[in-house]
Amino acid sequence: MVLSKFDDLPAELIVEISDYLDGCDLYYAFYGLSQRINSILDRQCHRLHVRFVRVPKIKFDLYCNRILPRISTRTVSLTLSGDNSSTPGQVALFLSRFNSLAHFFVKLESFKLIDYTKADVEILLPQFPMLTKLKRLSMGEYERLMPFSVDSNELFNENVILPISLRSLAFPYEVTNQWIQTLSTTTSFMIEQMHCHLIHMNVFFLLLQRFPNLKRLTAVITGINQDNLPMESIDCMLHGLRYLNINIAQQVVFDDFARVLRSLTQLHSLSIEALTPRVEFLEARRWETALPSNLSLFRFDLTMTLPVNPDHVELLEPFKSQFWVSRGWFVQCRLRDGGGFFRLSTVQSPIISILYWPDDEELLGSTVTAVYSNVTHVELWWNLSRTAHATCPNVRSIQFYGSGNDIEEPIQANILEMLQNPSFEHIIINDNIPINHTRFALILSKASDNMSILTCSGVWLTTMLEFQQYEWICLIAAMRLRKLIITDGYFIFSNTSLVAFCRTFINLREITMKIESKEDLFFLLNTLENLTMANITLPSTVFDDMTDYRKMIEENTILDNFVVRKQTTSTDICKLLLWIGSRHNLNPLRRSRDLYLKYWNINWHA
């Protein structure tokens, strides 16, 4: 049998393959294989996509220096990561090499920034107006809905200059009357799809007026701002919006929201998520009078915590009328804590982000196991053998609670299926009620090979490191874990446990933790030689007499190519964010040995 070679593939197929690969990865993998391949890549691959997400510093430097200058004029989409990612400093470093995006990326149609800070966005703002081909601009990643809570300090309540070519815009705006008044009508006229972080209820009509071609809108809707116009002063109008995906804040009055819905005569799909909305949002008959007649898809997920338990059967019954059943809008009710906490949602709702399966939960209005294909995070209590009412085939992270976790019991089939799914990658251990270490090891051993991230407290972790009977658990952790997030803000490793920590997590690539001193920081960076990202919290006093953090790290570690950012989080503590590339390659053993001997604990006994 003769195996075909990549070089023998038709040119059209190679061009087709290029649409599914990162442009830089494409050139890194195939350029130079032959003159024919080089010619196809250079002359026929005209629409390349570049995505710098979780990319190692060494590869980032290589791509920016060697490959991207060659393909930038054919790049149509570009994705960067901000300072809230594992690659802090990427935006500033990228702009230092491509100081005018419009000059290098002349055909750029789509730009996305993920895991960003407001400072990242502000650095990029001068670049946007010159990107005359840009059609899609996105600050963040939005699968469907915005988060329940929004930090208004990270939002823009003033307008920025954007290219008139935009059709899709996702930007951290707080939409107020002031924002509306400063909006450029030239830019807004063409927008068809929009993601806003926060829209005040009383300017919703004004927003729709200023975006007459808007077809899709995703946002958090909040109450009336004192500085804005009242709802009564806005005349009702009709709008062609077809898809509306929203989170509703507790301040929103149902009647105000109903006024908006009645004006959306072309609305086709409505998805709503709300945490403790007003009670009238739970009343079926109110929805029947408010929903537009053209609406064919209605999904909602309303989660409530009430001081007085309602009659859940009575609450659910009106949702079983002919109005709901004839449209295929089937509703269920999930109960917890004796009914004080409950969730009312469409049965096959794809918008649930967190699903609770605690001890006393009941499911009303459904006799079959529900499948939630879009659920990515689940919280599980200790009794993993109990029958679950749902299965989540694409779950990525699970938070485990530990009440009663000294009881050994098998893991229920639905839960075992989640653990072994390739999408599962992250275990979170609840700090207040943590599972014991033996149960953690059992879960880790049964989990998918892709499970590589652990979030836990420092106290819980130290217990595992300091007791000899847990050495086998440390061995499993060393083999499996590549990213560690330590959540205990006040915990500092002792002298002996830091050494045990580095020995156990020698293979870590990313770490978030708090330590006590510069010496501990240097020891950590010199020992964990696979690290590509470190988010280290230290006391502010450590840096009292220091201004050049890069020089400090260069002189005391084997790090050679890295980006470091200092963030002051309070008067007592600060953070160092490191995006790490190469280490010293000139006699590294000698270099490492000299630096290790500087560590105070070694120097004390040497």
Side-chain angles (χ1 to χ4, degrees), residues 488-509:
D488 195 319
Y490 297 96
F491 179 78
I492 297 172
F493 279 114
S494 65
N495 305 332
T496 55
S497 62
L498 182 59
V499 176
F501 172 86
C502 290
R503 182 177 65 245
T504 299
F505 298 104
I506 193 67
N507 295 317
L508 281 185
R509 297 193 184 104

PDB file of all heavy atoms in Angstrom, residues 488-509:
ATOM      1  N   ASP A 488      -6.735  30.282  48.750  1.00  0.00           N
ATOM      2  CA  ASP A 488      -6.653  30.789  50.112  1.00  0.00           C
ATOM      3  C   ASP A 488      -5.809  32.056  50.128  1.00  0.00           C
ATOM      4  O   ASP A 488      -4.591  32.015  50.031  1.00  0.00           O
ATOM      5  CB  ASP A 488      -6.032  29.727  51.028  1.00  0.00           C
ATOM      6  CG  ASP A 488      -6.257  30.059  52.499  1.00  0.00           C
ATOM      7  OD1 ASP A 488      -6.126  31.239  52.845  1.00  0.00           O
ATOM      8  OD2 ASP A 488      -6.568  29.149  53.273  1.00  0.00           O
ATOM      9  N   GLY A 489      -6.456  33.209  50.267  1.00  0.00           N
ATOM     10  CA  GLY A 489      -5.752  34.481  50.173  1.00  0.00           C
ATOM     11  C   GLY A 489      -4.798  34.760  51.309  1.00  0.00           C
ATOM     12  O   GLY A 489      -3.901  35.586  51.176  1.00  0.00           O
ATOM     13  N   TYR A 490      -4.980  34.093  52.459  1.00  0.00           N
ATOM     14  CA  TYR A 490      -4.141  34.393  53.607  1.00  0.00           C
ATOM     15  C   TYR A 490      -3.105  33.314  53.873  1.00  0.00           C
ATOM     16  O   TYR A 490      -2.315  33.423  54.792  1.00  0.00           O
ATOM     17  CB  TYR A 490      -5.006  34.586  54.860  1.00  0.00           C
ATOM     18  CG  TYR A 490      -5.930  35.757  54.746  1.00  0.00           C
ATOM     19  CD1 TYR A 490      -7.243  35.589  54.346  1.00  0.00           C
ATOM     20  CD2 TYR A 490      -5.478  37.052  55.003  1.00  0.00           C
ATOM     21  CE1 TYR A 490      -8.101  36.668  54.216  1.00  0.00           C
ATOM     22  CE2 TYR A 490      -6.331  38.140  54.880  1.00  0.00           C
ATOM     23  CZ  TYR A 490      -7.633  37.944  54.485  1.00  0.00           C
ATOM     24  OH  TYR A 490      -8.470  39.019  54.356  1.00  0.00           O
ATOM     25  N   PHE A 491      -3.106  32.280  53.061  1.00  0.00           N
ATOM     26  CA  PHE A 491      -2.210  31.176  53.346  1.00  0.00           C
ATOM     27  C   PHE A 491      -0.838  31.405  52.734  1.00  0.00           C
ATOM     28  O   PHE A 491      -0.705  31.859  51.615  1.00  0.00           O
ATOM     29  CB  PHE A 491      -2.784  29.869  52.814  1.00  0.00           C
ATOM     30  CG  PHE A 491      -1.883  28.698  53.062  1.00  0.00           C
ATOM     31  CD1 PHE A 491      -1.817  28.117  54.315  1.00  0.00           C
ATOM     32  CD2 PHE A 491      -1.062  28.220  52.065  1.00  0.00           C
ATOM     33  CE1 PHE A 491      -0.987  27.064  54.556  1.00  0.00           C
ATOM     34  CE2 PHE A 491      -0.212  27.152  52.305  1.00  0.00           C
ATOM     35  CZ  PHE A 491      -0.175  26.574  53.551  1.00  0.00           C
ATOM     36  N   ILE A 492       0.200  31.086  53.504  1.00  0.00           N
ATOM     37  CA  ILE A 492       1.576  31.186  53.023  1.00  0.00           C
ATOM     38  C   ILE A 492       2.266  29.871  53.342  1.00  0.00           C
ATOM     39  O   ILE A 492       2.177  29.359  54.459  1.00  0.00           O
ATOM     40  CB  ILE A 492       2.328  32.352  53.710  1.00  0.00           C
ATOM     41  CG1 ILE A 492       1.646  33.686  53.359  1.00  0.00           C
ATOM     42  CG2 ILE A 492       3.774  32.390  53.262  1.00  0.00           C
ATOM     43  CD1 ILE A 492       2.190  34.864  54.129  1.00  0.00           C
ATOM     44  N   PHE A 493       2.944  29.311  52.358  1.00  0.00           N
ATOM     45  CA  PHE A 493       3.606  28.036  52.574  1.00  0.00           C
ATOM     46  C   PHE A 493       4.693  28.141  53.628  1.00  0.00           C
ATOM     47  O   PHE A 493       5.440  29.116  53.687  1.00  0.00           O
ATOM     48  CB  PHE A 493       4.240  27.544  51.265  1.00  0.00           C
ATOM     49  CG  PHE A 493       3.257  26.888  50.346  1.00  0.00           C
ATOM     50  CD1 PHE A 493       2.938  27.467  49.137  1.00  0.00           C
ATOM     51  CD2 PHE A 493       2.645  25.707  50.699  1.00  0.00           C
ATOM     52  CE1 PHE A 493       2.036  26.878  48.290  1.00  0.00           C
ATOM     53  CE2 PHE A 493       1.734  25.102  49.857  1.00  0.00           C
ATOM     54  CZ  PHE A 493       1.429  25.693  48.653  1.00  0.00           C
ATOM     55  N   SER A 494       4.796  27.098  54.434  1.00  0.00           N
ATOM     56  CA  SER A 494       5.914  27.012  55.370  1.00  0.00           C
ATOM     57  C   SER A 494       7.179  26.626  54.620  1.00  0.00           C
ATOM     58  O   SER A 494       7.135  26.256  53.450  1.00  0.00           O
ATOM     59  CB  SER A 494       5.605  25.967  56.448  1.00  0.00           C
ATOM     60  OG  SER A 494       5.515  24.677  55.851  1.00  0.00           O
ATOM     61  N   ASN A 495       8.309  26.670  55.292  1.00  0.00           N
ATOM     62  CA  ASN A 495       9.590  26.399  54.634  1.00  0.00           C
ATOM     63  C   ASN A 495       9.642  24.997  54.046  1.00  0.00           C
ATOM     64  O   ASN A 495      10.068  24.792  52.916  1.00  0.00           O
ATOM     65  CB  ASN A 495      10.733  26.576  55.645  1.00  0.00           C
ATOM     66  CG  ASN A 495      10.682  27.954  56.296  1.00  0.00           C
ATOM     67  OD1 ASN A 495      10.198  28.897  55.689  1.00  0.00           O
ATOM     68  ND2 ASN A 495      11.153  28.043  57.524  1.00  0.00           N
ATOM     69  N   THR A 496       9.196  24.022  54.839  1.00  0.00           N
ATOM     70  CA  THR A 496       9.286  22.640  54.374  1.00  0.00           C
ATOM     71  C   THR A 496       8.250  22.322  53.306  1.00  0.00           C
ATOM     72  O   THR A 496       8.525  21.590  52.366  1.00  0.00           O
ATOM     73  CB  THR A 496       9.107  21.678  55.562  1.00  0.00           C
ATOM     74  OG1 THR A 496       7.872  21.988  56.225  1.00  0.00           O
ATOM     75  CG2 THR A 496      10.244  21.835  56.554  1.00  0.00           C
ATOM     76  N   SER A 497       7.037  22.908  53.431  1.00  0.00           N
ATOM     77  CA  SER A 497       5.995  22.563  52.478  1.00  0.00           C
ATOM     78  C   SER A 497       6.245  23.180  51.109  1.00  0.00           C
ATOM     79  O   SER A 497       5.761  22.670  50.107  1.00  0.00           O
ATOM     80  CB  SER A 497       4.618  22.989  52.997  1.00  0.00           C
ATOM     81  OG  SER A 497       4.555  24.382  53.167  1.00  0.00           O
ATOM     82  N   LEU A 498       6.996  24.273  51.024  1.00  0.00           N
ATOM     83  CA  LEU A 498       7.320  24.843  49.723  1.00  0.00           C
ATOM     84  C   LEU A 498       8.199  23.884  48.924  1.00  0.00           C
ATOM     85  O   LEU A 498       8.023  23.713  47.722  1.00  0.00           O
ATOM     86  CB  LEU A 498       8.015  26.198  49.874  1.00  0.00           C
ATOM     87  CG  LEU A 498       8.362  26.906  48.559  1.00  0.00           C
ATOM     88  CD1 LEU A 498       7.101  27.158  47.746  1.00  0.00           C
ATOM     89  CD2 LEU A 498       9.099  28.207  48.825  1.00  0.00           C
ATOM     90  N   VAL A 499       9.152  23.251  49.602  1.00  0.00           N
ATOM     91  CA  VAL A 499       9.995  22.258  48.940  1.00  0.00           C
ATOM     92  C   VAL A 499       9.151  21.068  48.496  1.00  0.00           C
ATOM     93  O   VAL A 499       9.275  20.579  47.370  1.00  0.00           O
ATOM     94  CB  VAL A 499      11.132  21.798  49.874  1.00  0.00           C
ATOM     95  CG1 VAL A 499      11.952  20.703  49.219  1.00  0.00           C
ATOM     96  CG2 VAL A 499      12.023  22.991  50.244  1.00  0.00           C
ATOM     97  N   ALA A 500       8.269  20.594  49.384  1.00  0.00           N
ATOM     98  CA  ALA A 500       7.382  19.478  49.031  1.00  0.00           C
ATOM     99  C   ALA A 500       6.441  19.868  47.901  1.00  0.00           C
ATOM    100  O   ALA A 500       6.143  19.062  47.016  1.00  0.00           O
ATOM    101  CB  ALA A 500       6.577  19.051  50.264  1.00  0.00           C
ATOM    102  N   PHE A 501       5.991  21.110  47.921  1.00  0.00           N
ATOM    103  CA  PHE A 501       5.113  21.603  46.867  1.00  0.00           C
ATOM    104  C   PHE A 501       5.812  21.539  45.506  1.00  0.00           C
ATOM    105  O   PHE A 501       5.256  21.036  44.527  1.00  0.00           O
ATOM    106  CB  PHE A 501       4.695  23.040  47.178  1.00  0.00           C
ATOM    107  CG  PHE A 501       3.956  23.717  46.070  1.00  0.00           C
ATOM    108  CD1 PHE A 501       2.590  23.565  45.942  1.00  0.00           C
ATOM    109  CD2 PHE A 501       4.631  24.510  45.150  1.00  0.00           C
ATOM    110  CE1 PHE A 501       1.906  24.192  44.913  1.00  0.00           C
ATOM    111  CE2 PHE A 501       3.961  25.132  44.123  1.00  0.00           C
ATOM    112  CZ  PHE A 501       2.589  24.974  44.006  1.00  0.00           C
ATOM    113  N   CYS A 502       7.030  22.058  45.426  1.00  0.00           N
ATOM    114  CA  CYS A 502       7.763  22.073  44.153  1.00  0.00           C
ATOM    115  C   CYS A 502       8.074  20.647  43.683  1.00  0.00           C
ATOM    116  O   CYS A 502       8.077  20.376  42.478  1.00  0.00           O
ATOM    117  CB  CYS A 502       9.050  22.876  44.304  1.00  0.00           C
ATOM    118  SG  CYS A 502       8.781  24.651  44.495  1.00  0.00           S
ATOM    119  N   ARG A 503       8.320  19.751  44.609  1.00  0.00           N
ATOM    120  CA  ARG A 503       8.596  18.366  44.227  1.00  0.00           C
ATOM    121  C   ARG A 503       7.348  17.697  43.665  1.00  0.00           C
ATOM    122  O   ARG A 503       7.414  16.942  42.687  1.00  0.00           O
ATOM    123  CB  ARG A 503       9.098  17.591  45.451  1.00  0.00           C
ATOM    124  CG  ARG A 503       9.470  16.133  45.139  1.00  0.00           C
ATOM    125  CD  ARG A 503      10.029  15.427  46.346  1.00  0.00           C
ATOM    126  NE  ARG A 503       9.037  15.290  47.409  1.00  0.00           N
ATOM    127  CZ  ARG A 503       9.136  15.878  48.593  1.00  0.00           C
ATOM    128  NH1 ARG A 503      10.180  16.639  48.884  1.00  0.00           N
ATOM    129  NH2 ARG A 503       8.199  15.715  49.510  1.00  0.00           N
ATOM    130  N   THR A 504       6.196  17.992  44.268  1.00  0.00           N
ATOM    131  CA  THR A 504       4.949  17.373  43.819  1.00  0.00           C
ATOM    132  C   THR A 504       4.477  17.947  42.487  1.00  0.00           C
ATOM    133  O   THR A 504       4.022  17.217  41.613  1.00  0.00           O
ATOM    134  CB  THR A 504       3.851  17.570  44.880  1.00  0.00           C
ATOM    135  OG1 THR A 504       4.263  16.941  46.092  1.00  0.00           O
ATOM    136  CG2 THR A 504       2.528  16.991  44.425  1.00  0.00           C
ATOM    137  N   PHE A 505       4.585  19.268  42.339  1.00  0.00           N
ATOM    138  CA  PHE A 505       4.030  19.919  41.149  1.00  0.00           C
ATOM    139  C   PHE A 505       5.131  20.355  40.187  1.00  0.00           C
ATOM    140  O   PHE A 505       5.060  21.425  39.585  1.00  0.00           O
ATOM    141  CB  PHE A 505       3.170  21.108  41.572  1.00  0.00           C
ATOM    142  CG  PHE A 505       1.989  20.713  42.406  1.00  0.00           C
ATOM    143  CD1 PHE A 505       1.978  20.928  43.775  1.00  0.00           C
ATOM    144  CD2 PHE A 505       0.896  20.091  41.828  1.00  0.00           C
ATOM    145  CE1 PHE A 505       0.893  20.556  44.549  1.00  0.00           C
ATOM    146  CE2 PHE A 505      -0.192  19.711  42.592  1.00  0.00           C
ATOM    147  CZ  PHE A 505      -0.194  19.940  43.956  1.00  0.00           C
ATOM    148  N   ILE A 506       6.123  19.508  40.017  1.00  0.00           N
ATOM    149  CA  ILE A 506       7.276  19.813  39.183  1.00  0.00           C
ATOM    150  C   ILE A 506       6.889  20.004  37.720  1.00  0.00           C
ATOM    151  O   ILE A 506       7.592  20.658  36.954  1.00  0.00           O
ATOM    152  CB  ILE A 506       8.335  18.692  39.324  1.00  0.00           C
ATOM    153  CG1 ILE A 506       9.667  19.126  38.722  1.00  0.00           C
ATOM    154  CG2 ILE A 506       7.820  17.393  38.716  1.00  0.00           C
ATOM    155  CD1 ILE A 506      10.339  20.244  39.458  1.00  0.00           C
ATOM    156  N   ASN A 507       5.742  19.437  37.302  1.00  0.00           N
ATOM    157  CA  ASN A 507       5.337  19.505  35.891  1.00  0.00           C
ATOM    158  C   ASN A 507       4.348  20.628  35.594  1.00  0.00           C
ATOM    159  O   ASN A 507       3.821  20.707  34.478  1.00  0.00           O
ATOM    160  CB  ASN A 507       4.712  18.175  35.460  1.00  0.00           C
ATOM    161  CG  ASN A 507       5.716  17.034  35.496  1.00  0.00           C
ATOM    162  OD1 ASN A 507       6.857  17.200  35.063  1.00  0.00           O
ATOM    163  ND2 ASN A 507       5.304  15.888  36.018  1.00  0.00           N
ATOM    164  N   LEU A 508       4.107  21.509  36.560  1.00  0.00           N
ATOM    165  CA  LEU A 508       3.128  22.575  36.351  1.00  0.00           C
ATOM    166  C   LEU A 508       3.538  23.512  35.218  1.00  0.00           C
ATOM    167  O   LEU A 508       4.715  23.864  35.086  1.00  0.00           O
ATOM    168  CB  LEU A 508       2.949  23.404  37.619  1.00  0.00           C
ATOM    169  CG  LEU A 508       2.076  22.844  38.742  1.00  0.00           C
ATOM    170  CD1 LEU A 508       1.937  23.868  39.848  1.00  0.00           C
ATOM    171  CD2 LEU A 508       0.708  22.426  38.227  1.00  0.00           C
ATOM    172  N   ARG A 509       2.526  23.921  34.438  1.00  0.00           N
ATOM    173  CA  ARG A 509       2.746  24.933  33.404  1.00  0.00           C
ATOM    174  C   ARG A 509       2.166  26.290  33.821  1.00  0.00           C
ATOM    175  O   ARG A 509       2.649  27.325  33.367  1.00  0.00           O
ATOM    176  CB  ARG A 509       2.112  24.486  32.088  1.00  0.00           C
ATOM    177  CG  ARG A 509       2.722  23.208  31.526  1.00  0.00           C
ATOM    178  CD  ARG A 509       2.290  22.985  30.080  1.00  0.00           C
ATOM    179  NE  ARG A 509       2.809  21.724  29.588  1.00  0.00           N
ATOM    180  CZ  ARG A 509       2.100  20.619  29.432  1.00  0.00           C
ATOM    181  NH1 ARG A 509       0.832  20.617  29.781  1.00  0.00           N
ATOM    182  NH2 ARG A 509       2.636  19.507  28.958  1.00  0.00           N
TER     183      ARG A 509
END
